[in-house]
Amino acid sequence: QAPPLRVDAYNLPNGMTILVKPDHRAPVVAVYTWYNVGGCHEPNGITGISHALEHMMFQGSKNYPEGQYFKLIDQNGGLENAVTSSDYTFYEVHISKDKLPLVFQLEADRMRHLTLDEKAFAKEMEVVKEERRSRTDNTPRAYTFERFSATAFAGTPYQNPVIGWPNDIHQLTVNDLRRWY
C-alpha cells in the first residue's frame, strides 16, 4: 500500500522552491529539477534553444568537466534523464539516498557555472540535428503533427516545435546559447 500523500514545500531565499514527497519504501531518491522555460518562451529565429541547452547541461561545468556528470551518476548507481517541453524543462536523477548531496552539488554547479564550450556545442548540435531528423523529419506522423500544430497554433508561441525549426537549429551559435542560459 502506498504511503499517504504528503508534500512538504520549502522556499529558499534565492527564490527556488523545493518540494519533498517522503516515501520510505526504498532507500532511493528521485530528484527532479524543473525550470519554467521551454519551447513556448523562445522568440522566432532561435527556436529549439531550450532543447539545445538541455543537451549542453550535461556537457561540462566549472567543477565537473565534460563527461564527469554522466560518469559520477553512473559510478554511483544512478540513472539520469532530461525533457524539454513547450512550457518547461526538467532534469531527473534516480539514485541511492546517501548520494543526494552529490546530486545537489552537480545540479548547483551546472545551474550557475556551465562551461558552454564551442567544440562541445558543435558536437552536441549534431546530436540535436540527428534527433530532429529521426524523430520528426523521417517520421511521417510526427512531421504531420508538427505541421498541424504550426497551423492550429499560428500566431502563438506554441506554433514552433520544441526541438526547433531546422533553419533555426542550423543557425544557433554557442553565443546564442550563452545569452539564453
Side-chain angles (χ1 to χ4, degrees), residues 1-176:
Q1 180 176 344
L5 180 62
R6 181 181 119 221
V7 178
D8 299 318
Y10 305 92
N11 293 307
L12 302 181
N14 65 1
M16 181 182 285
T17 299
I18 296 178
L19 303 174
V20 179
K21 180 187 174 292
D23 182 342
H24 301 284
R25 292 179 291 175
V28 296
V29 293
V31 178
Y32 291 83
T33 305
W34 290 70
Y35 294 88
N36 290 323
V37 65
C40 79
H41 300 96
E42 301 165 351
N44 289 331
I46 60 168
T47 64
I49 199 164
S50 297
H51 181 245
L53 181 58
E54 171 208 312
H55 278 246
M56 290 302 294
M57 289 286 278
F58 295 99
Q59 300 306 317
S61 60
K62 178 181 176 185
N63 297 303
Y64 301 96
E66 186 175 0
Q68 280 298 106
Y69 183 93
F70 291 122
K71 184 177 178 182
L72 287 168
I73 295 297
D74 186 57
Q75 284 177 340
N76 286 283
L79 299 170
E80 91 306 306
N81 196 13
V83 173
T84 301
S85 78
S86 293
D87 299 300
Y88 55 81
T89 304
F90 75 82
Y91 303 84
E92 67 179 302
V93 177
H94 299 258
I95 200 162
S96 173
K97 72 178 186 177
D98 64 315
K99 304 302 180 187
L100 185 59
L102 170 66
V103 174
F104 284 164
Q105 287 173 342
L106 291 167
E107 290 301 326
D109 197 52
R110 70 184 187 169
M111 259 183 214
R112 300 197 58 208
H113 304 292
L114 270 191
T115 316
L116 297 173
D117 175 74
E118 185 107 29
K119 285 182 186 176
F121 172 76
K123 185 173 105 181
E124 204 57 36
M125 287 309 295
E126 291 307 311
V127 173
V128 170
K129 290 172 191 173
E130 179 54 33
E131 186 178 342
R132 173 161 174 98
R133 282 189 295 272
S134 67
R135 293 187 180 177
T136 304
D137 299 336
N138 296 335
T139 307
R141 180 176 283 171
Y143 186 78
T144 301
F145 183 75
E146 179 182 86
R147 295 299 170 181
F148 169 79
S149 295
T151 301
F153 297 109
T156 76
Y158 295 96
Q159 71 185 357
N160 298 320
V162 171
I163 198 163
W165 293 112
N167 193 49
D168 291 349
I169 294 171
H170 289 282
Q171 293 182 25
L172 284 178
T173 68
V174 74
N175 285 329
D176 292 331

